[in-house]
Amino acid sequence: MDKLKAYEQLKKDLENAAVKRIMCGQQGMEDSDIHHEINVSLRLSHPNIVRLMAVARTESCFLLAAEYIHGATLQQVLHTDSCLVKLEGDDAGFISLDLSMAVEYIHAQRIIHQDIKPANVMVHHPSKKAVLTDWGMANIRDTVMLRQGSKFTAQATGPAGGTYLYMAPECILMFEEASFQTDMWSLGATYLEILTGSAPWMVKKQRELAALMATKTPPHALSHLSDKNSFLGGLVSYDPDSRPSASDVVKFLKSGLDLTSRYGYKW
């Protein structure tokens, strides 16, 4: 009976699932890479990370069914006037906190997202809860713990990937591997956009960004960041070791928000 109830609940959940297709052989990925990614995804459980509910395999592709988030991407929220989600009051701060808690969680699991940006964040309507998505779909070998023989590495690393406006300078300039610190730069660039309403960089091409980074030019949006959020500016430091951790950011954001008003309690 319990199995039947579980099946019926899953069937109900999947009626409103968002389904993503990964073609077999896409970007040189092997089936074993996709299986490993799926296994890690199914083990993750956090209120600010999209939940993978079911997986199916056809002859040509994998189908991944994730929970459907009614709302809009953070990119749409920030830059589309007609978006159904409107930010008011401390909403930007709470969305930033939601993201920092999601990143704190995956880093504790030794997982690197590698492509944190507003387009990979869903904001629920009407609660305005932020959920991190696509952390393991676009660059599977790069964003999840890699296998070496029959063992796992202690930390997920891989060739630099992601979206250049949010990528760390060490990835743009020196093609370094992804790390927890590169995730924190991407998170910082995303915060700049959330808190200032402007893209982190005013460039149109990656080579233009590389030229600015070569002279250690700060992201353009940093000049619009308020003094009270200056701590978050440290996330876009050119020194990776000086960037705050996700746990540091969680503590900072909690200290400046009325947690009871949003969550009903403090913790």
Side-chain angles (χ1 to χ4, degrees), residues 21-144:
R21 178 186 300 171
I22 301 178
M23 302 304 296
C24 297
Q26 177 178 313
Q27 298 178 346
M29 293 184 294
E30 299 178 0
D31 284 4
S32 58
D33 300 320
I34 300 175
H35 282 301
H36 177 60
E37 164 67 16
I38 290 169
N39 290 335
V40 173
S41 301
L42 289 172
R43 289 201 301 269
L44 290 176
S45 178
H46 189 276
N48 298 113
I49 292 177
V50 69
R51 180 167 58 100
L52 182 62
M53 299 186 297
V55 179
R57 169 71 192 271
T58 70
E59 291 184 0
S60 61
C61 68
F62 287 84
L63 299 173
L64 281 64
E67 64 176 316
Y68 173 72
I69 307 297
H70 176 66
T73 68
L74 182 57
Q75 180 79 16
Q76 294 169 325
V77 172
L78 294 174
H79 302 295
T80 305
D81 292 338
S82 60
C83 184
L84 78 163
V85 181
K86 305 292 184 183
L87 299 188
E88 302 171 331
D90 287 334
D91 288 340
F94 281 111
I95 287 174
S96 299
L97 176 58
D98 286 345
L99 289 182
S100 66
M101 291 190 293
V103 175
E104 179 185 41
Y105 173 77
I106 63 173
H107 283 187
Q109 306 301 311
R110 313 301 291 174
I111 294 171
I112 298 167
H113 186 288
Q114 197 177 322
D115 198 16
I116 299 170
K117 59 183 179 181
N120 281 343
V121 177
M122 288 296 299
V123 182
H124 180 265
H125 178 74
S127 71
K128 300 181 185 177
K129 181 179 80 170
V131 178
L132 187 59
T133 70
D134 275 359
W135 55 269
M137 305 303 179
N139 297 289
I140 288 175
R141 293 186 65 86
D142 303 337
T143 56
V144 184

Side-chain angles (χ1 to χ4, degrees), residues 164-165 201-206 208-209 212 220:
Y164 73 89
L165 284 178
W201 298 96
M202 296 293 107
V203 296
K204 294 183 178 180
K205 297 181 179 180
Q206 184 169 330
E208 296 174 0
L209 177 57
L212 292 172
H220 297 136

